[in-house]
Amino acid sequence: MNKTSKHIELECLPNTRDLGGMITKDGRTIRSGMLLRSGHLNKTSDSDIEFLSSLVDVVIDFRTTSEKTRQPDRLSDGMKYLELPILDEKQSVAGVARDYESIEKVFDDMQKDPRAGINHMVSIYRAFVTNEVAITGYKNFVKTLLNHEGKAVLWHCSAGKDRCGVATVIILEILGVSREDIYQDYILTNEYNKEDAARIVNRFIERNGVTDEILKDGIAAFWSADSSFLDETYHRAEEVYGSFDGFLEQALGVTPVIREELRKKYLE
């Protein structure tokens, strides 16, 4: 039994994890090998694909069309691929897309105010519970988990930290995991993505000649999974729906009956 998701060791996917073993507030545990989270699958090695195909038969991709075109997933023939975008092409994916350019898009603002990147991420995390595209995507995510029969469902975005992170929060809340453990699991992304994040951030700092330490810290925070970002998702849900449970029921259609069905399916 774990307080956080279990890391899956793969050659080219550093942030792939199984929610199995996480403990709920009423003492039950999430079934292993059924609910997996990850970053994008573009860089999967042949051995990664072979291993994942033994576990996974549905892959949910939360990325935009341009992200998917630039870095398409590498999957086995036996995997069903579902596209459930959480942001549309008109919204800025800066900070949530796993690329150098996503920092560049807000760098001018960050030079004026080192917190501009953080403020940008806060606005995205607040939109996760109110934006129509996000609500549609997350509603269909829950429906997929509810109706799925077979092997594991794996969901991902770009780095597996924001759109994927909030999707994970949604299912963990539905299954009854404590808020404390949900936060611990959310920030665990920083441990598994630290090498990739450091490489991208340091490359950006060097190429742009950034010397100001406060600005460096702002760039690093912009690229991280920060608990203050997740705070804003919860706060916005409370503002609009009265509580996070209110968001689940009013926006995503998670009635008490559906919640219980999901718990029967994924808990033991």
Tab-separated table of all heavy atoms in Angstrom, residues 61-98:
chain	number	residue	atom	x	y	z
A	61	ASP	N	-4.828	10.773	-24.786
A	61	ASP	CA	-3.885	11.859	-25.062
A	61	ASP	C	-4.606	13.189	-24.850
A	61	ASP	O	-5.558	13.507	-25.561
A	61	ASP	CB	-3.383	11.744	-26.508
A	61	ASP	CG	-2.197	12.648	-26.806
A	61	ASP	OD1	-1.990	13.632	-26.065
A	61	ASP	OD2	-1.476	12.362	-27.789
A	62	PHE	N	-4.121	13.980	-23.879
A	62	PHE	CA	-4.757	15.251	-23.543
A	62	PHE	C	-4.176	16.439	-24.320
A	62	PHE	O	-4.576	17.579	-24.095
A	62	PHE	CB	-4.587	15.549	-22.047
A	62	PHE	CG	-5.366	14.638	-21.134
A	62	PHE	CD1	-4.756	14.050	-20.031
A	62	PHE	CD2	-6.707	14.390	-21.346
A	62	PHE	CE1	-5.468	13.235	-19.171
A	62	PHE	CE2	-7.432	13.567	-20.491
A	62	PHE	CZ	-6.811	12.981	-19.402
A	63	ARG	N	-3.236	16.209	-25.219
A	63	ARG	CA	-2.528	17.309	-25.877
A	63	ARG	C	-3.344	17.942	-27.007
A	63	ARG	O	-4.337	17.390	-27.473
A	63	ARG	CB	-1.200	16.810	-26.430
A	63	ARG	CG	-0.213	16.334	-25.371
A	63	ARG	CD	1.046	15.770	-25.992
A	63	ARG	NE	0.749	14.605	-26.821
A	63	ARG	CZ	1.589	14.083	-27.714
A	63	ARG	NH1	2.780	14.650	-27.910
A	63	ARG	NH2	1.251	13.015	-28.416
A	64	THR	N	-2.889	19.115	-27.438
A	64	THR	CA	-3.498	19.799	-28.581
A	64	THR	C	-3.071	19.131	-29.881
A	64	THR	O	-2.117	18.335	-29.918
A	64	THR	CB	-3.077	21.275	-28.636
A	64	THR	OG1	-1.643	21.341	-28.814
A	64	THR	CG2	-3.463	22.012	-27.363
A	65	THR	N	-3.751	19.479	-30.965
A	65	THR	CA	-3.417	18.910	-32.272
A	65	THR	C	-1.987	19.222	-32.674
A	65	THR	O	-1.266	18.357	-33.182
A	65	THR	CB	-4.387	19.442	-33.344
A	65	THR	OG1	-5.718	19.045	-33.004
A	65	THR	CG2	-4.036	18.896	-34.722
A	66	SER	N	-1.543	20.464	-32.453
A	66	SER	CA	-0.179	20.834	-32.851
A	66	SER	C	0.863	20.059	-32.052
A	66	SER	O	1.900	19.653	-32.600
A	66	SER	CB	0.039	22.343	-32.668
A	66	SER	OG	-0.146	22.731	-31.324
A	67	GLU	N	0.619	19.833	-30.764
A	67	GLU	CA	1.547	19.040	-29.957
A	67	GLU	C	1.619	17.601	-30.468
A	67	GLU	O	2.699	17.007	-30.559
A	67	GLU	CB	1.106	19.025	-28.501
A	67	GLU	CG	1.264	20.338	-27.771
A	67	GLU	CD	0.684	20.243	-26.368
A	67	GLU	OE1	-0.546	20.388	-26.205
A	67	GLU	OE2	1.475	19.994	-25.424
A	68	LYS	N	0.463	17.028	-30.775
A	68	LYS	CA	0.414	15.643	-31.244
A	68	LYS	C	1.067	15.504	-32.620
A	68	LYS	O	1.701	14.484	-32.910
A	68	LYS	CB	-1.032	15.159	-31.292
A	68	LYS	CG	-1.640	14.942	-29.918
A	68	LYS	CD	-3.089	14.532	-29.968
A	68	LYS	CE	-3.992	15.668	-30.360
A	68	LYS	NZ	-5.421	15.402	-30.106
A	69	THR	N	0.911	16.527	-33.464
A	69	THR	CA	1.523	16.487	-34.778
A	69	THR	C	3.044	16.553	-34.670
A	69	THR	O	3.767	15.856	-35.382
A	69	THR	CB	1.010	17.651	-35.642
A	69	THR	OG1	-0.413	17.546	-35.776
A	69	THR	CG2	1.652	17.648	-37.022
A	70	ARG	N	3.508	17.396	-33.760
A	70	ARG	CA	4.948	17.577	-33.580
A	70	ARG	C	5.596	16.345	-32.943
A	70	ARG	O	6.699	15.952	-33.311
A	70	ARG	CB	5.199	18.818	-32.712
A	70	ARG	CG	6.669	19.185	-32.569
A	70	ARG	CD	6.847	20.548	-31.926
A	70	ARG	NE	6.298	20.603	-30.586
A	70	ARG	CZ	5.217	21.304	-30.229
A	70	ARG	NH1	4.556	22.002	-31.143
A	70	ARG	NH2	4.784	21.317	-28.984
A	71	GLN	N	4.918	15.729	-31.988
A	71	GLN	CA	5.479	14.581	-31.283
A	71	GLN	C	4.407	13.489	-31.133
A	71	GLN	O	3.865	13.276	-30.045
A	71	GLN	CB	6.003	14.990	-29.907
A	71	GLN	CG	7.203	15.939	-29.976
A	71	GLN	CD	7.760	16.262	-28.592
A	71	GLN	OE1	7.018	16.676	-27.705
A	71	GLN	NE2	9.053	16.072	-28.420
A	72	PRO	N	4.088	12.792	-32.217
A	72	PRO	CA	3.046	11.761	-32.144
A	72	PRO	C	3.456	10.600	-31.246
A	72	PRO	O	4.634	10.246	-31.172
A	72	PRO	CB	2.898	11.313	-33.607
A	72	PRO	CG	4.213	11.631	-34.244
A	72	PRO	CD	4.689	12.886	-33.568
A	73	ASP	N	2.472	10.027	-30.562
A	73	ASP	CA	2.731	8.864	-29.719
A	73	ASP	C	3.183	7.678	-30.566
A	73	ASP	O	2.706	7.474	-31.688
A	73	ASP	CB	1.461	8.455	-28.958
A	73	ASP	CG	1.187	9.340	-27.755
A	73	ASP	OD1	2.040	10.179	-27.416
A	73	ASP	OD2	0.107	9.188	-27.144
A	74	ARG	N	4.083	6.887	-29.996
A	74	ARG	CA	4.456	5.599	-30.581
A	74	ARG	C	3.746	4.516	-29.782
A	74	ARG	O	4.005	4.340	-28.592
A	74	ARG	CB	5.968	5.385	-30.534
A	74	ARG	CG	6.776	6.338	-31.388
A	74	ARG	CD	8.250	5.917	-31.404
A	74	ARG	NE	8.436	4.665	-32.136
A	74	ARG	CZ	9.112	3.611	-31.672
A	74	ARG	NH1	9.655	3.644	-30.466
A	74	ARG	NH2	9.248	2.519	-32.410
A	75	LEU	N	2.832	3.800	-30.428
A	75	LEU	CA	1.998	2.822	-29.744
A	75	LEU	C	2.066	1.477	-30.461
A	75	LEU	O	2.452	1.396	-31.625
A	75	LEU	CB	0.540	3.293	-29.723
A	75	LEU	CG	0.263	4.693	-29.156
A	75	LEU	CD1	-1.195	5.053	-29.388
A	75	LEU	CD2	0.598	4.747	-27.673
A	76	SER	N	1.640	0.441	-29.760
A	76	SER	CA	1.510	-0.862	-30.405
A	76	SER	C	0.136	-0.950	-31.067
A	76	SER	O	-0.774	-0.181	-30.747
A	76	SER	CB	1.665	-1.985	-29.381
A	76	SER	OG	0.537	-2.029	-28.528
A	77	ASP	N	-0.005	-1.884	-31.983
A	77	ASP	CA	-1.264	-2.020	-32.728
A	77	ASP	C	-2.440	-2.358	-31.810
A	77	ASP	O	-3.584	-2.062	-32.136
A	77	ASP	CB	-1.126	-3.108	-33.800
A	77	ASP	CG	-0.177	-2.711	-34.912
A	77	ASP	OD1	0.042	-1.496	-35.083
A	77	ASP	OD2	0.354	-3.605	-35.583
A	78	GLY	N	-2.170	-2.965	-30.667
A	78	GLY	CA	-3.243	-3.385	-29.780
A	78	GLY	C	-3.784	-2.311	-28.866
A	78	GLY	O	-4.714	-2.563	-28.089
A	79	MET	N	-3.225	-1.111	-28.943
A	79	MET	CA	-3.660	-0.026	-28.060
A	79	MET	C	-4.685	0.869	-28.750
A	79	MET	O	-4.450	1.352	-29.858
A	79	MET	CB	-2.467	0.834	-27.628
A	79	MET	CG	-1.455	0.133	-26.755
A	79	MET	SD	-0.074	1.241	-26.343
A	79	MET	CE	0.950	0.155	-25.333
A	80	LYS	N	-5.807	1.100	-28.093
A	80	LYS	CA	-6.799	2.055	-28.587
A	80	LYS	C	-6.359	3.457	-28.180
A	80	LYS	O	-6.006	3.692	-27.026
A	80	LYS	CB	-8.166	1.733	-28.005
A	80	LYS	CG	-9.280	2.649	-28.499
A	80	LYS	CD	-10.620	2.261	-27.889
A	80	LYS	CE	-11.736	3.162	-28.396
A	80	LYS	NZ	-13.044	2.790	-27.795
A	81	TYR	N	-6.391	4.374	-29.135
A	81	TYR	CA	-5.894	5.735	-28.911
A	81	TYR	C	-7.052	6.724	-28.901
A	81	TYR	O	-7.800	6.822	-29.874
A	81	TYR	CB	-4.892	6.080	-30.019
A	81	TYR	CG	-4.308	7.472	-29.963
A	81	TYR	CD1	-3.441	7.854	-28.942
A	81	TYR	CD2	-4.610	8.397	-30.964
A	81	TYR	CE1	-2.892	9.121	-28.918
A	81	TYR	CE2	-4.063	9.665	-30.955
A	81	TYR	CZ	-3.205	10.028	-29.920
A	81	TYR	OH	-2.664	11.295	-29.907
A	82	LEU	N	-7.225	7.448	-27.792
A	82	LEU	CA	-8.301	8.429	-27.657
A	82	LEU	C	-7.709	9.827	-27.522
A	82	LEU	O	-6.830	10.067	-26.692
A	82	LEU	CB	-9.151	8.120	-26.420
A	82	LEU	CG	-9.877	6.778	-26.385
A	82	LEU	CD1	-10.653	6.646	-25.079
A	82	LEU	CD2	-10.813	6.627	-27.578
A	83	GLU	N	-8.205	10.751	-28.307
A	83	GLU	CA	-7.763	12.146	-28.252
A	83	GLU	C	-8.791	12.966	-27.469
A	83	GLU	O	-9.918	13.145	-27.936
A	83	GLU	CB	-7.584	12.695	-29.657
A	83	GLU	CG	-6.556	11.937	-30.481
A	83	GLU	CD	-6.444	12.443	-31.905
A	83	GLU	OE1	-5.859	13.526	-32.099
A	83	GLU	OE2	-6.959	11.761	-32.814
A	84	LEU	N	-8.401	13.430	-26.295
A	84	LEU	CA	-9.288	14.232	-25.448
A	84	LEU	C	-8.563	15.517	-25.053
A	84	LEU	O	-8.041	15.645	-23.939
A	84	LEU	CB	-9.688	13.446	-24.186
A	84	LEU	CG	-10.401	12.112	-24.382
A	84	LEU	CD1	-10.715	11.479	-23.029
A	84	LEU	CD2	-11.689	12.303	-25.186
A	85	PRO	N	-8.484	16.501	-25.959
A	85	PRO	CA	-7.745	17.729	-25.642
A	85	PRO	C	-8.345	18.468	-24.449
A	85	PRO	O	-9.563	18.518	-24.283
A	85	PRO	CB	-7.854	18.557	-26.925
A	85	PRO	CG	-9.064	18.003	-27.625
A	85	PRO	CD	-9.112	16.551	-27.286
A	86	ILE	N	-7.470	19.020	-23.628
A	86	ILE	CA	-7.873	19.807	-22.462
A	86	ILE	C	-7.726	21.300	-22.733
A	86	ILE	O	-8.385	22.132	-22.121
A	86	ILE	CB	-7.044	19.397	-21.222
A	86	ILE	CG1	-7.231	17.904	-20.930
A	86	ILE	CG2	-7.390	20.237	-20.013
A	86	ILE	CD1	-8.678	17.489	-20.668
A	87	LEU	N	-6.862	21.669	-23.660
A	87	LEU	CA	-6.715	23.045	-24.134
A	87	LEU	C	-6.897	23.029	-25.644
A	87	LEU	O	-6.567	22.044	-26.298
A	87	LEU	CB	-5.323	23.595	-23.790
A	87	LEU	CG	-4.931	23.628	-22.313
A	87	LEU	CD1	-3.462	24.007	-22.168
A	87	LEU	CD2	-5.803	24.619	-21.543
A	88	ASP	N	-7.427	24.119	-26.204
A	88	ASP	CA	-7.522	24.168	-27.657
A	88	ASP	C	-6.382	25.003	-28.224
A	88	ASP	O	-5.562	25.553	-27.496
A	88	ASP	CB	-8.893	24.685	-28.113
A	88	ASP	CG	-9.181	26.114	-27.662
A	88	ASP	OD1	-8.220	26.899	-27.521
A	88	ASP	OD2	-10.359	26.442	-27.468
A	89	GLU	N	-6.322	25.075	-29.537
A	89	GLU	CA	-5.204	25.743	-30.197
A	89	GLU	C	-5.171	27.248	-29.932
A	89	GLU	O	-4.130	27.889	-30.085
A	89	GLU	CB	-5.256	25.491	-31.705
A	89	GLU	CG	-5.132	24.032	-32.096
A	89	GLU	CD	-3.799	23.415	-31.732
A	89	GLU	OE1	-2.825	24.155	-31.530
A	89	GLU	OE2	-3.722	22.176	-31.643
A	90	LYS	N	-6.298	27.823	-29.516
A	90	LYS	CA	-6.338	29.260	-29.236
A	90	LYS	C	-5.763	29.597	-27.862
A	90	LYS	O	-5.434	30.746	-27.590
A	90	LYS	CB	-7.781	29.764	-29.328
A	90	LYS	CG	-8.394	29.642	-30.719
A	90	LYS	CD	-9.833	30.122	-30.715
A	90	LYS	CE	-10.475	29.958	-32.093
A	90	LYS	NZ	-11.891	30.391	-32.091
A	91	GLN	N	-5.684	28.598	-26.997
A	91	GLN	CA	-5.161	28.829	-25.654
A	91	GLN	C	-3.661	28.595	-25.645
A	91	GLN	O	-3.144	27.743	-26.362
A	91	GLN	CB	-5.839	27.881	-24.655
A	91	GLN	CG	-7.331	28.107	-24.513
A	91	GLN	CD	-7.977	26.977	-23.739
A	91	GLN	OE1	-8.247	25.916	-24.269
A	91	GLN	NE2	-8.203	27.225	-22.463
A	92	SER	N	-2.965	29.342	-24.818
A	92	SER	CA	-1.516	29.176	-24.732
A	92	SER	C	-1.174	27.901	-23.985
A	92	SER	O	-1.651	27.671	-22.875
A	92	SER	CB	-0.894	30.373	-24.006
A	92	SER	OG	0.490	30.143	-23.770
A	93	VAL	N	-0.342	27.056	-24.611
A	93	VAL	CA	0.137	25.851	-23.931
A	93	VAL	C	1.507	26.085	-23.308
A	93	VAL	O	2.163	25.150	-22.873
A	93	VAL	CB	0.190	24.641	-24.890
A	93	VAL	CG1	-1.188	24.269	-25.365
A	93	VAL	CG2	1.122	24.910	-26.063
A	94	ALA	N	1.930	27.351	-23.278
A	94	ALA	CA	3.209	27.669	-22.643
A	94	ALA	C	3.206	27.184	-21.205
A	94	ALA	O	2.298	27.461	-20.438
A	94	ALA	CB	3.461	29.178	-22.683
A	95	GLY	N	4.254	26.432	-20.867
A	95	GLY	CA	4.367	25.903	-19.514
A	95	GLY	C	3.801	24.519	-19.362
A	95	GLY	O	4.227	23.771	-18.488
A	96	VAL	N	2.848	24.141	-20.217
A	96	VAL	CA	2.310	22.791	-20.144
A	96	VAL	C	2.833	21.924	-21.290
A	96	VAL	O	2.853	20.704	-21.176
A	96	VAL	CB	0.762	22.769	-20.136
A	96	VAL	CG1	0.233	23.526	-18.946
A	96	VAL	CG2	0.187	23.312	-21.421
A	97	ALA	N	3.247	22.545	-22.387
A	97	ALA	CA	3.887	21.795	-23.461
A	97	ALA	C	5.341	21.533	-23.077
A	97	ALA	O	5.996	22.373	-22.466
A	97	ALA	CB	3.826	22.575	-24.772
A	98	ARG	N	5.814	20.373	-23.444
A	98	ARG	CA	7.155	19.964	-23.024
A	98	ARG	C	8.176	20.395	-24.068
A	98	ARG	O	8.769	19.584	-24.764
A	98	ARG	CB	7.172	18.444	-22.861
A	98	ARG	CG	8.406	17.881	-22.198
A	98	ARG	CD	8.252	16.372	-22.098
A	98	ARG	NE	9.308	15.762	-21.340
A	98	ARG	CZ	9.380	14.465	-21.082
A	98	ARG	NH1	8.439	13.660	-21.533
A	98	ARG	NH2	10.370	13.972	-20.392
